[in-house]
Amino acid sequence: MAGETGKIADMAKKVAADIFEVFGWELVLPADQNWDCVDKGHLVSKHPTDVVFRYEHPYRACTVHLNVDLKSYARGSITGAAIQGALISLAKATACAGLSVDWQKLYALPDTTLDVAGLLFVYNHDGAYDKDFSMLLSGADPEKVAINPRTTLHVMSPQQIAYLATVANDINGLRGKKAIPFAGDQFWFYYPDLIGEHARTVQPKSAAIETLQGPVIVCRYIMPDTKAGSGDAALVYYNRQGDTTDEFKYLIDYLFRYQLLMHCEEITIRMPAASSAAPAIFKRALEAYAAEYYQSDELQSRLSKIKIEVVTNVVTQFSQVELGMERATS
């Protein structure tokens, strides 16, 4: 029974590592550590850390360290009580992590500005969870969870994990087909300069967690057989169904506002959650956008750079037998 439980726990660990590697997060070892609590109010002697991921924040001069609680649940085990209990434990551990010398010795980069946040990673290992996870999350008792005002917690639902697994698999598939380059100075995540906030680097190699949990992930890359600056293109992963022309017009406006249409030779919107009518609705949205603003050859030329493609969803499930064999040979 213990071996079976261990294999189930390994599923979430493998899924998280496979996903976040594509998005430029660094897995920081050791995993599965217990370390001393530094807050007597927590009424525990130790806190657990399953894994830690870190990445450079695209705007702030700091390294984000995510203290991650990996949960691997069957459909029936994803309950409000289970999520609330996990949040209570993670809130305490994350509040302590930023203060704990022991935790920082294990995971923090020396001589860096530290930003520690918590991540509850709720993986559904049987792929059968189809309920509204946000209802479970909203049902958590704020007084019992008691998040420190200086502590940030993120929660990834089974649906968000499935979406990110699909995007990561799609990026790897396009790389395998040589449609886009591998990471390096040929592929990066796009963070435009904002009012009063400038991106730290022109070519960020990692995507922030806020981006991964939002509706749009933008990747920039240099098109094959072209030089930097002369053949830039963009992949825009869009996590919506595309049921209305208005939402597509908003997305087109986003591409204009942040000058993607100015600097990219082609832009591909890839939609893992698209409705069957999305491509036709997108075509109407392009026509409506052009008519609403102004008809000109320049506008038509820019809009013609955009195409839309539907991506096949990937439900990431791992065989317990397969994982057991991996552990035996590692």
Side-chain angles (χ1 to χ4, degrees):
M1 187 62 129
E4 181 179 347
T5 302
K7 292 173 192 175
I8 290 173
D10 280 350
M11 292 180 187
K13 191 178 297 183
K14 181 169 177 58
V15 171
D18 288 351
I19 290 173
F20 297 136
E21 179 184 20
V22 175
F23 296 115
W25 292 13
E26 179 187 358
L27 174 62
V28 187
L29 298 176
D32 304 318
Q33 295 292 302
N34 292 315
W35 41 277
D36 290 340
C37 175
V38 297
D39 187 334
K40 293 181 180 179
H42 290 166
L43 303 178
V44 296
S45 60
K46 299 278 187 180
H47 289 298
T49 289
D50 288 344
V51 295
V52 169
F53 288 96
R54 68 184 173 214
Y55 62 86
E56 297 300 314
H57 196 280
Y59 292 111
R60 300 197 307 269
C62 66
T63 302
V64 178
H65 288 67
L66 289 168
N67 188 58
V68 185
D69 185 3
L70 297 168
K71 299 298 185 187
S72 185
Y73 292 134
R75 176 178 60 177
S77 299
I78 303 176
T79 64
I83 297 306
Q84 176 165 294
L87 284 171
I88 291 170
S89 175
L90 181 62
K92 292 177 180 179
T94 304
C96 264
L99 304 172
S100 168
V101 173
D102 289 343
W103 188 92
Q104 293 180 32
K105 283 181 179 178
L106 287 170
Y107 299 112
L109 284 173
D111 302 321
T112 58
T113 301
L114 191 64
D115 184 339
V116 181
L119 171 58
L120 179 59
F121 186 90
V122 185
Y123 173 63
N124 173 219
H125 64 75
D126 60 17
Y129 186 77
D130 57 359
K131 297 181 180 179
D132 185 353
F133 185 83
S134 64
M135 295 297 292
L136 292 184
L137 203 57
S138 64
D141 187 337
E143 291 186 5
K144 290 182 179 179
V145 175
I147 300 174
N148 186 303
R150 296 184 301 276
T151 301
T152 300
L153 294 187
H154 302 276
V155 181
M156 282 194 176
S157 69
Q159 292 89 345
Q160 286 179 326
I161 292 168
Y163 164 69
L164 292 176
T166 297
V167 173
N169 181 76
D170 190 61
I171 290 173
N172 281 333
L174 292 172
R175 286 171 172 168
K177 296 174 184 176
K178 297 184 178 180
I180 63 173
F182 282 86
D185 59 356
Q186 305 285 306
F187 180 95
W188 62 97
F189 296 94
Y190 183 62
Y191 285 92
D193 287 341
L194 304 177
I195 297 174
E197 197 167 32
H198 297 281
R200 291 174 63 190
T201 177
V202 176
Q203 297 183 340
K205 299 302 186 291
S206 55
I209 188 168
E210 292 84 359
T211 298
L212 298 188
Q213 294 190 288
V216 178
I217 301 171
V218 180
C219 312
R220 291 277 299 273
Y221 63 96
I222 297 172
M223 297 167 64
D225 302 321
T226 60
K227 295 180 180 180
S230 63
D232 285 10
L235 290 177
V236 179
Y237 287 97
Y238 183 50
N239 189 22
R240 293 292 185 267
Q241 292 185 321
D243 288 326
T244 68
T245 56
D246 282 345
E247 66 174 295
F248 278 127
K249 285 164 64 178
Y250 179 85
L251 184 58
I252 295 166
D253 197 51
Y254 173 94
L255 301 178
F256 264 106
R257 185 183 306 121
Y258 294 117
Q259 299 187 329
L260 285 163
L261 283 169
M262 175 72 72
H263 299 300
C264 293
E265 294 301 315
E266 63 180 44
I267 297 172
T268 305
I269 300 171
R270 293 180 70 79
M271 297 181 61
S275 68
S276 59
I281 294 172
F282 176 72
K283 185 174 183 297
R284 292 203 300 271
L286 282 176
E287 295 168 351
Y289 191 93
E292 184 173 334
Y293 289 93
Y294 46 85
Q295 290 281 359
S296 72
D297 291 341
E298 181 187 6
L299 178 65
Q300 294 294 343
S301 176
R302 292 189 187 184
L303 293 178
S304 69
K305 297 178 179 181
I306 313 171
K307 62 180 178 179
I308 187 171
E309 296 175 351
V310 176
V311 178
T312 302
N313 270 299
V314 174
V315 177
T316 305
Q317 291 177 259
F318 292 96
S319 161
Q320 292 184 38
V321 173
E322 177 186 351
L323 285 169
M325 292 176 65
E326 285 184 6
R327 295 197 328 165
T329 57
S330 61

